[in-house]
Amino acid sequence: MTPTPDAASHNAVFSPTLPHFVGVLGGGRMGAGIAHAFLLAGCDVLVVERDLDAAEAARVRVESAVAKSVERGVVGNPDAFLARLAVSTEYPDFAPCELVVEAVPEIWDLKVVSLQGVEEHLAANAVLASNTSSLSMTGLAAELARPANFIGLHFFNPVPASTLIEVVIAQQTRPELVAAARGWVEALGKTAVVVHDAPGFASSRLGVAIALEAMRMVEEGVASAEDIDNAMVLGYKHPTGPLRTTDIVGLDVRLGIAEYLAATLGERFAPPQILRDKVARGELGRKTGQGFFDWA
């Protein structure tokens, strides 16, 4: 069924001041990092997960991130921040949120169902955002009842250390929302790059292109993963090499993005066999202890 736009959404007033109550759908590494960022900026945050075990695991991830912020001297008493954190398994609990950021895996059908499930519980003037790193924002917006209130907020892993957020504009996104999103990013202490919807946006498209070529070089025996990364770190001043970054992001995530980019932009983004083989063996990077590097 084609969503029917809500006329009230066209009267929404978007403010560059951070919303008081922010929701995050998905409490994995990225979702927990996003929740942590909004907590530190003074927002009340709700994280919704698929079941009680996942919700409690999300709480632990956020608590751990806050504890590390205390260790670094970024914040003082952690109790004041954690008192503003709630976790749940129920979509209706998103109802009071002024902004909800979706952070579920990069699977089209899952994104659509998740976004629609959240939107039906939000007020007409609330904002729904996706943390997708590559999927079409315009296509996702077309599945929503209020596409003008939808925008991409692509956070980077690890969220606490990253100073970048990619603001992605769908064709349907209201210009006032883009201006507000810039303000939110600044209030989070990060820098916004604003891009129009295109496969892979700016960051994923460039990052994956470099990473895939680095993988081909390992596959061809040009050099070791360590030496290839050192070439980029020492020669081009990248803070982390493309293969170690792939391990941090997750080889399964990189494979999914590469397959999508290959389908939309052509064979130059075709995943090399070494990537497919590693994912098939469960060598997904840091989260499994083995990728292009040994993280044990």
Side-chain angles (χ1 to χ4, degrees):
M1 184 176 72
T2 303
T4 303
D6 187 331
S9 68
H10 294 288
N11 299 320
V13 177
F14 301 119
S15 168
T17 303
L18 274 175
H20 174 72
F21 194 6
V22 175
V24 179
L25 178 63
R29 183 183 297 273
M30 286 302 301
I34 293 167
H36 169 261
F38 281 105
L39 278 176
L40 263 58
C43 304
D44 290 347
V45 177
L46 168 70
V47 179
V48 172
E49 260 289 1
R50 63 185 180 277
D51 56 42
L52 288 174
D53 288 344
E56 285 307 309
R59 183 192 298 276
V60 170
R61 290 188 190 98
V62 178
E63 289 175 347
S64 176
V66 171
K68 289 176 181 177
S69 294
V70 172
E71 291 173 5
R72 295 195 303 269
V74 176
V75 299
N77 180 9
D79 294 340
F81 293 92
L82 296 176
R84 291 188 275 100
L85 171 67
V87 299
S88 172
T89 61
E90 303 296 328
Y91 278 33
D93 290 343
F94 280 130
C97 293
E98 301 150 85
L99 165 67
V100 175
V101 182
E102 165 273 311
V104 303
E106 292 285 284
I107 302 169
W108 177 267
D109 291 344
L110 177 60
K111 292 279 190 189
V112 170
V113 170
S114 299
L115 289 166
Q116 290 176 340
V118 173
E119 185 188 41
E120 67 176 293
H121 298 289
L122 297 182
N125 62 348
V127 174
L128 184 56
S130 176
N131 183 54
T132 181
S133 56
S134 63
L135 299 179
S136 170
M137 287 294 301
T138 297
L140 291 173
E143 302 290 338
L144 299 175
R146 297 186 289 276
N149 291 17
F150 183 59
I151 196 165
L153 291 177
H154 177 205
F155 290 75
F156 288 77
N157 188 20
V159 177
S162 173
T163 57
L164 175 66
I165 297 177
E166 197 170 30
V167 177
V168 187
I169 309 171
Q171 291 179 8
Q172 304 93 324
T173 305
R174 285 181 56 186
E176 301 93 326
L177 178 51
V178 179
R182 281 180 175 271
W184 300 339
V185 172
E186 183 177 348
L188 291 173
K190 301 182 186 295
T191 299
V193 294
V194 178
V195 300
H196 290 276
D197 186 32
F201 315 137
S203 59
S204 292
R205 187 165 169 177
L206 289 169
V208 169
I210 295 171
L212 293 179
E213 191 60 29
M215 293 175 205
R216 295 185 190 102
M217 293 169 68
V218 172
E219 194 172 54
E220 295 164 9
V222 174
S224 68
E226 184 175 6
D227 284 344
I228 290 168
D229 271 14
N230 282 339
M232 299 307 293
V233 171
L234 301 176
Y236 290 87
K237 304 304 180 186
H238 287 201
T240 309
L243 297 170
R244 192 171 294 275
T245 299
T246 294
D247 275 7
I248 294 170
V249 171
L251 275 69
D252 53 336
V253 175
R254 276 276 159 94
L255 176 59
I257 295 172
E259 288 177 332
Y260 173 70
L261 293 178
T264 53
L265 295 175
E267 281 300 303
R268 68 187 187 274
F269 285 99
Q273 192 61 42
I274 189 173
L275 176 59
R276 295 190 182 279
D277 290 346
K278 282 183 172 292
V279 171
R281 290 195 299 267
E283 297 175 9
L284 307 183
R286 183 170 65 178
K287 60 189 172 185
T288 61
Q290 182 65 51
F292 284 96
F293 296 89
D294 182 356
W295 293 84

